[in-house]
Amino acid sequence: MTYGVRLHIWGERALFTRPEMKVERVSYDVITPSAARGILEAIHWKPAIRWVVDSIQVLRPIRFESIRRNEVGGKLSAAAVGKAMKAGRTDGLVAYVEEDRQQRAATLLREVGYVISAHFELTAKAGPDDSVGKHLDIFNRRARRGQCFQAPCLGTREFPASFALVEEGAEPPEPADELRGERDLGWMLHDIDFANGMTPYFFRARMVDGLIEVPPAMSSEVRA
Amino acid sequence: MSAIANRYEFVYLFDVTNGNPNGDPDAGNLPRLDPETNKGLVTDVALKRKIRNYVALEKEGDPGYAIYMQEKSVLNNQHKQAYAALGIEPEAKKLPKDEAKARELTTWMCANFFDVRAFGAVMTTEVNAGQVRGPIQLAFASSIEPVLPLEVSITRVAVTNERDLEKERTMGRKHIVPYGLYRVHGFVSAKLAERTGFSEDDLALFWRALTNLFEHDRSAARGEMAARKLIVFKHEHAMGNAPAHLLFDKVRVERSGSAEAPARGFGDYRVSVDAESLPAGVSVTELF
């Protein structure tokens, strides 16, 4: 038996990039289960546990904004690092911003707020000391005090997430009136299976009065 | 060098007078604006660029403080030949096979490059260890009040091409913000610092970089930019003792005197830090 947690998160901006539009990034309408899991993991995670997102409550109207930035195209080459290590010096191991500049626009979300409902499962790596109660306690304590391993972010690291624990029995914040009714958000990224060659899984997201039920990872509604 | 043991959050205030703090490539280099509030924006990457440039200037050539993401202006590349002279053939497209090897590469990168250690970097390896997340995280800077960018037309008495000689002069445009006070929030994670080896010395250098950020970044476009305040919250616990947003709320920036007239200087604002009501285990210092 596992116990659920509810976490209220909010922020000024968010960018949950659609994989099909990742060069000039376009955000999904709402947070993905994968990003929600990342936020939970930024507060508490051990190899012994795996977070499972059950539902996402959207609190604020969905609004977009566009921003264009100078970025670099290249990644650090492992071979070049190996070479510099052998040579024992850093000369020449640089990326010149001017030579590798790309201007990319991002369509991001403004003023977001969500309540993530989630629970965790113990994994094969769980030792004899790992009990559900222990990890649940650690998470709740940290979330209540605002402690985190690293500042959680809304999709990308330049958009930090503020968070607060929704205590058991407490009423979570009310969603905005604009979110009333049913809305089909289309196919959305569920999560990426890192164990099996980073296979992305998708599900059909449906929002009813702002609430999105997230199907479990192995269900028939989730497809690779 | 051991890594820092405390989590930090900071509020950094800087202002611009008659300059363009960060141009928007989407809007013909107009100062960035939040379209909903008309407040000015400066992206996180713009500030990181300036931090890298400062560190490159202060620590020029010092081992352990190389900068990976360089601008050409700070290029110091005369040793490239020596590097080539060593005659090490790069192995074509061969990536480190095992995780240990990849970890060795990232560790070495962290030890040698300040920006990799502070902000992280992505390395092209197929193993997860090839990606470094740095302890320092910056958000977008946003101005306290809406800014009104001005377009200033300027003339140049010389021409570029010979065929334009009879034109005598060319016109250009400068976009400026008459005055804007910008506020940015930042986070330093002790736990991620552990992984990249970001030390107390590095942190002191980072604060120094923020203090002197604009002193070595003068240009025609920027006008007068100045760092005004750096307020640092230090948590006793490595994981932190209080939520970040509560700490940020302790720093208030208000207009002093009448808010009717547009602000044209830092004196038009009053910054107050409520140090009395801080949560237990958090201390605040105003570095300047």
Side-chain angles (χ1 to χ4, degrees):
Chain A
M1 181 59 208
T2 53
Y3 303 89
V5 298
R6 283 180 304 169
L7 190 72
H8 177 206
I9 54 165
W10 68 97
E12 264 179 66
R13 294 182 177 81
L15 177 54
F16 309 107
T17 310
R18 289 175 182 269
E20 68 273 27
M21 286 180 275
K22 61 182 184 182
V23 175
E24 300 243 65
R25 289 178 282 262
V26 178
S27 177
Y28 277 118
D29 289 0
V30 297
I31 189 171
T32 59
S34 158
R37 176 181 56 81
I39 288 176
L40 298 169
E41 285 175 0
I43 296 169
H44 174 65
W45 179 77
K46 280 269 149 68
I49 63 170
R50 179 193 306 121
W51 283 104
V52 179
V53 177
D54 301 318
S55 72
I56 292 161
Q57 174 70 55
V58 184
L59 300 174
R60 300 191 190 167
I62 296 162
R63 289 188 298 162
F64 290 94
E65 175 186 288
S66 156
I67 197 147
R68 185 178 292 271
R69 286 174 288 182
N70 287 324
E71 302 178 14
V72 293
K75 282 188 280 185
L76 189 57
S77 134
V81 178
K83 208 162 98 171
M85 277 174 84
K86 271 190 229 155
R89 53 201 304 172
T90 55
D91 311 328
L93 188 64
V94 290
Y96 294 115
V97 179
E98 275 87 351
E99 287 170 15
D100 197 13
R101 178 163 287 169
Q102 297 182 345
Q103 288 195 337
R104 293 192 188 176
T107 304
L108 40 95
L109 294 168
R110 279 308 305 271
E111 301 293 342
V112 299
Y114 306 103
V115 174
I116 303 169
S117 303
H119 67 274
F120 60 83
E121 290 164 356
L122 293 178
T123 65
K125 285 187 179 149
D129 304 341
D130 291 304
S131 68
V132 171
K134 170 185 144 184
H135 289 291
L136 190 72
D137 277 353
I138 297 176
F139 180 86
N140 283 337
R141 195 172 62 232
R142 284 189 182 171
R144 205 172 282 137
R145 290 186 192 164
Q147 293 187 313
C148 54
F149 184 89
Q150 57 167 322
C153 65
L154 296 162
T156 56
R157 288 191 77 193
E158 56 268 41
F159 309 123
S162 300
F163 62 92
L165 185 71
V166 181
E167 300 282 352
E168 229 177 289
E171 276 301 309
E174 275 293 304
D177 287 336
E178 284 96 323
L179 295 167
R180 297 262 165 249
E182 197 176 325
R183 214 160 136 179
D184 186 358
L185 299 176
W187 285 94
M188 188 160 108
L189 179 74
H190 184 279
D191 212 329
I192 293 168
D193 188 354
F194 291 95
N196 294 314
M198 312 250 277
T199 321
Y201 284 86
F202 294 87
F203 75 110
R204 186 94 198 201
R206 236 172 278 279
M207 182 163 78
V208 182
D209 292 345
L211 186 74
I212 300 163
E213 294 288 347
V214 180
M218 287 306 141
S219 66
S220 57
E221 290 167 64
V222 179
R223 302 203 191 132
Chain B
M1 190 88 57
S2 59
I4 55 168
N6 303 86
R7 185 182 119 184
Y8 297 86
E9 263 97 38
F10 58 92
V11 177
Y12 180 58
L13 295 172
F14 62 92
D15 65 357
V16 60
T17 311
N18 292 331
N20 182 357
N22 188 199
D24 188 346
D26 250 354
N29 208 34
L30 221 74
R32 288 186 191 276
L33 281 183
D34 177 334
E36 286 182 345
T37 60
N38 274 339
K39 286 180 178 176
L41 287 181
V42 173
T43 59
D44 59 316
V45 282
L47 294 171
K48 283 185 194 168
R49 172 79 267 146
K50 295 186 203 312
I51 294 164
R52 287 185 166 107
N53 288 353
Y54 176 83
V55 172
L57 280 177
E58 192 194 302
K59 294 282 182 183
E60 204 172 352
D62 285 12
Y65 290 95
I67 294 294
Y68 180 70
M69 284 292 165
Q70 283 198 351
E71 249 176 10
K72 263 196 165 161
S73 51
V74 287
L75 172 62
N76 176 19
N77 204 13
Q78 66 260 44
H79 303 298
K80 212 169 185 177
Q81 293 91 333
Y83 184 61
L86 284 164
I88 304 157
E89 279 295 306
E91 295 169 77
K93 298 229 164 170
K94 218 168 147 192
L95 301 170
K97 274 179 256 45
D98 55 311
E99 229 171 294
K101 173 77 177 152
R103 200 156 287 157
E104 205 180 297
L105 288 176
T106 46
T107 311
W108 188 85
M109 284 304 290
C110 286
N112 282 281
F113 290 89
F114 177 81
D115 55 341
V116 176
R117 198 156 68 229
F119 305 132
V122 178
M123 288 217 314
T124 331
T125 58
E126 281 171 338
V127 232
N128 266 347
Q131 206 174 56
V132 190
R133 254 178 320 172
I136 298 179
Q137 187 175 344
L138 284 175
F140 276 16
S142 151
S143 68
I144 306 295
E145 288 184 291
V147 294
L148 182 73
L150 295 182
E151 191 175 310
V152 182
S153 288
I154 47 174
T155 58
R156 184 174 68 163
V157 293
V159 291
T160 317
N161 294 315
E162 216 164 335
R163 61 171 183 277
D164 296 333
L165 253 181
E166 63 277 10
K167 274 215 285 200
E168 278 180 35
R169 58 185 56 179
T170 41
M171 302 282 285
R173 271 189 195 109
K174 273 181 97 158
H175 298 287
I176 61 162
V177 172
Y179 184 78
L181 180 64
Y182 289 75
R183 171 177 179 152
V184 59
H185 293 168
F187 309 80
V188 186
S189 156
K191 287 291 168 185
L192 290 181
E194 241 169 58
R195 297 186 174 180
T196 68
F198 186 83
S199 66
E200 292 288 346
D201 280 0
D202 290 332
L203 188 69
L205 172 60
F206 177 65
W207 299 141
R208 235 170 19 250
L210 286 181
T211 311
N212 299 311
L213 203 58
F214 306 104
E215 306 300 334
H216 306 278
D217 189 58
R218 307 280 176 212
S219 78
R222 299 279 176 247
E224 287 172 57
M225 293 188 73
R228 289 298 184 172
K229 275 243 177 293
L230 177 56
I231 297 147
V232 177
F233 295 98
K234 180 179 182 176
H235 299 253
E236 268 171 31
H237 198 284
M239 304 294 290
N241 294 67
H245 59 271
L246 292 184
L247 300 180
F248 292 139
D249 288 347
K250 303 284 177 206
V251 179
R252 298 186 54 171
V253 183
E254 291 156 311
R255 283 295 292 273
S256 62
S258 155
E260 299 287 302
R264 283 295 179 266
F266 187 58
D268 293 337
Y269 289 99
R270 189 173 51 229
V271 182
S272 56
V273 185
D274 183 5
E276 308 292 291
S277 66
L278 278 183
V282 181
S283 59
V284 60
T285 32
E286 283 186 52
L287 290 187
F288 58 87

